[in-house]
């Protein structure tokens, strides 16, 4: 018999977020009454086109960009693919076949670069990260050659929350005239997205990480940056991304981004305070645990740990039984549990990397949520360690 947990706590906002009711409200008319195809010339179509124009202006303003630089896509993954493949393929005829990236990218970037290397003959330089997961901008500068087509380094890491020195890298790529892409999917709702300050030519966003709908994203493309379209067809998005626009999704994305940035300071302060209580509570009550990622320069909502001697998945299952949704850095493959490539790149020993836990906070979390997790986690860890042959105190 399973008993109902005393409380349910969602601590996986890096995986996805609930859509804000104000976002749902803004989207609804575009499913039913205002359902026109934005390419149609009659009033219904023009109404949909006007909604997209407005959304494009809203996003552009937050990014300090021009509306024409905003390309709507179907996801963060598609934005990453378009930036990387589109920029790489556009320069191939000029003999540019080299890409620079980091070892801690999301698979939407990592596997895309890997495909360009394995299937299309590109070369890659993977610059290292330090034990906190930070890239050294000088390593990027040293890796650039006259054949470099693109630098792609994420803004903030999805597993450990570390924020990368994007403006410093951007200053170097600008000076050397090399296109620079940043995957800002985890940073979208909480960090400054000013593309001029960041010095980026491409920036990826995904609405479902900031209380918008799933299945809609943005790629910022600086004017004149090299880009070959990946989806070919109609002339949508100024010939950079064919396909009838997801009008409700685009309206939802822009509304969610506007709401997140209007109250960014307050919301960051709220989740950062909870995050610091959570980190403090866990580190002070449980032995043999380490915070992963940068101690201070991390996303305001992100707390990540490794627990010695136990599997992250076992912690997750036990937390779930007690009503807590969380995540681990490990990816379940068919036969084995692979430790996270992010932790391994940060030189976390394999046996410890298996015990990873990521807790990511959101708007609706409260002090009581933090108290609850801090009250149940020590018991879970103690129980698992008592059964674990891997744990030696
Ligand atoms: N990049 C990062 C850093 C992410 O965390 C994610 C999603 O977890 C993605 C890209 C993919 O975004 P989407 O789920 O919109 O395809």
């Amino acid at each position: 018999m399973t008993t109902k947990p005393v409380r349910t706590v969602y601590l996986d906002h890096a995986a996805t977020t609930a859509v804000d009711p104000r976002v749902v409200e803004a989207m609804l008319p575009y499913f039913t009454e205002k359902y026109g195809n934005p390419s149609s010339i009659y009033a219904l179509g023009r109404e949909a086109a006007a909604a997209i124009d407005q959304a494009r202006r809203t996003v552009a303003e937050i990014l300090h960009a021009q509306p024409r630089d905003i390309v709507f896509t179907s996801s963060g993954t598609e934005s990453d693919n378009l930036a990387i493949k589109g920029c790489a393929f556009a320069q191939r005829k000029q003999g540019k076949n080299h890409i620079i990236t980091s070892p801690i990218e999301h698979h939407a970037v990592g596997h895309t670069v890997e495909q360009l290397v394995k299937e299309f003959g590109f070369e890659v330089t993977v610059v290292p990260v330090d034990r906190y997961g930070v890239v050294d901008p000088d390593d990027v500068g040293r890796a650039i050659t006259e054949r470099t087509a693109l630098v792609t380094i994420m803004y903030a890491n999805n597993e450990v929350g570390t924020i990368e020195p994007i403006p410093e890298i951007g200053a170097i790529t600008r000076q050397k005239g090399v296109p620079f892409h940043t995957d800002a999917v985890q940073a979208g709702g909480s960090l400054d997205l000013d593309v001029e300050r960041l010095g980026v030519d491409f920036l990826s966003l995904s609405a479902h990480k900031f209380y918008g709908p799933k299945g809609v994203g943005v790629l910022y493309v600086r004017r004149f940056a090299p880009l070959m379209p990946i989806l070919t067809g109609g002339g949508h998005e100024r010939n950079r991304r064919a396909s009838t626009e997801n009008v409700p999704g685009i309206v939802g994305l822009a509304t969610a981004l506007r709401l997140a940035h209007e109250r960014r300071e307050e919301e960051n302060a709220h989740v950062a305070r909870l995050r610091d209580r959570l980190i403090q509570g866990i580190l002070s009550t449980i032995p043999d645990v380490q915070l992963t990622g940068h101690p201070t320069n991390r996303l305001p909502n992100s707390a990540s740990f490794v627990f010695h001697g136990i599997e992250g998945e076992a912690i997750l299952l036990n937390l779930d039984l007690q009503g807590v949704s969380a995540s681990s850095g490990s990816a379940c493959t068919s036969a084995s549990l692979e430790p996270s490539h992010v932790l391994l790149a940060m030189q976390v020993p394999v046996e410890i990397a298996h015990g990873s836990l990521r807790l990511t906070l959101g708007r609706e979390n409260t002090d009581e949520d933090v108290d609850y997790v801090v009250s149940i986690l020590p018991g879970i860890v103690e129980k698992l360690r008592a059964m674990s042959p891997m744990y030696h105190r």
Side-chain angles (χ1 to χ4, degrees), residues 14-15 75-78 80 106 108 154 156 158 183 185-186 206 208-209:
S75 62
T77 299
E78 188 195 326
D80 288 342
H106 187 273
M154 70 199 321
N158 47 298
D183 175 343
V185 168
Q186 287 295 335
S206 176
H208 76 100
K209 307 293 185 178

Side-chain angles (χ1 to χ4, degrees), residues 73-388:
T73 68
S74 70
S75 62
T77 299
E78 188 195 326
S79 297
D80 288 342
N81 272 261
L82 177 56
I84 296 167
K85 290 178 179 154
C87 182
F89 289 148
Q91 299 173 87
R92 213 142 74 122
K93 285 195 186 135
Q94 294 147 248
K96 305 224 175 191
N97 70 341
H98 175 230
I99 297 169
I100 299 170
T101 190
S102 86
I104 59 162
E105 299 296 315
H106 187 273
H107 289 324
V109 167
H111 288 173
T112 304
V113 172
E114 222 172 272
Q115 191 189 42
L116 288 176
V117 171
K118 283 193 186 143
E119 308 292 339
F120 297 94
F122 281 82
E123 287 166 20
V124 63
T125 301
V126 181
V127 295
V129 291
D130 67 13
R131 68 194 173 107
Y132 300 126
V134 183
V135 168
D136 180 346
D138 290 335
D139 285 337
V140 175
R142 278 191 288 271
I144 292 174
T145 73
E146 70 280 3
R147 287 184 299 100
T148 305
L150 178 72
V151 173
T152 175
I153 307 278
M154 70 199 321
Y155 194 171
N157 182 266
N158 47 298
E159 288 183 27
V160 297
T162 297
I163 299 170
E164 298 299 333
I166 299 301
E168 290 76 8
I169 298 170
I172 293 170
T173 54
R174 257 188 190 179
Q175 195 236 327
K176 303 219 179 197
V178 174
F180 178 27
H181 166 246
T182 194
D183 175 343
V185 168
Q186 287 295 335
S190 59
L191 301 188
D192 175 27
L193 299 180
D194 178 345
V195 292
E196 296 306 328
R197 192 186 70 79
L198 295 170
V200 295
D201 301 290
F202 302 96
L203 179 143
S204 305
L205 294 173
S206 176
H208 76 100
K209 307 293 185 178
F210 46 82
Y211 308 92
K214 293 168 185 59
V216 57
V218 159
L219 180 65
Y220 159 76
V221 182
R222 187 176 290 280
R223 204 166 174 194
F224 305 126
L227 189 76
M228 181 183 280
I230 301 304
L231 291 187
T232 48
H236 310 85
E237 300 297 286
R238 290 178 184 263
N239 291 314
R240 292 166 298 187
R241 199 268 180 184
S243 181
T244 301
E245 298 86 344
N246 170 6
V247 185
I250 289 169
V251 168
L253 179 145
T255 308
L257 194 65
R258 178 174 58 73
L259 292 170
H261 282 260
E262 273 170 7
R263 300 205 60 241
R264 194 159 67 90
E265 300 292 321
E266 296 96 303
E267 284 189 4
N268 284 356
H270 168 70
V271 292
R273 191 181 62 77
L274 297 182
R275 173 201 64 187
D276 293 343
R277 281 197 60 223
L278 192 57
I279 292 174
Q280 179 54 27
I282 290 174
L283 296 183
S284 64
T285 53
I286 303 177
D288 299 323
V289 52
Q290 282 160 255
L291 182 72
T292 54
H294 198 280
T296 53
N297 200 16
R298 60 191 301 137
L299 287 171
N301 74 337
S302 176
S304 55
F305 308 87
V306 280
F307 295 85
H308 298 199
I310 47 179
E311 297 281 354
E313 273 64 25
I315 307 175
L316 293 188
L317 293 174
N318 280 272
L319 281 173
D320 184 32
L321 286 175
Q322 304 210 45
V324 179
S325 308
S327 158
S328 155
S330 310
C332 264
T333 59
S334 51
S336 63
L337 285 175
E338 294 273 323
S340 140
H341 68 287
V342 174
L343 296 179
L344 296 184
M346 290 161 55
Q347 310 292 330
V348 175
V350 181
E351 62 283 5
I352 295 173
H354 277 292
S356 80
L357 177 70
R358 177 186 75 178
L359 304 171
T360 46
L361 293 135
R363 277 179 195 165
E364 73 286 4
N365 288 128
T366 61
D367 280 297
E368 289 71 36
D369 292 339
V370 171
D371 294 341
Y372 179 60
V373 173
V374 172
S375 73
I376 62 171
L377 195 54
I380 292 174
V381 171
E382 198 179 329
K383 182 184 85 176
L384 292 172
R385 280 179 176 163
M387 301 184 299
S388 169

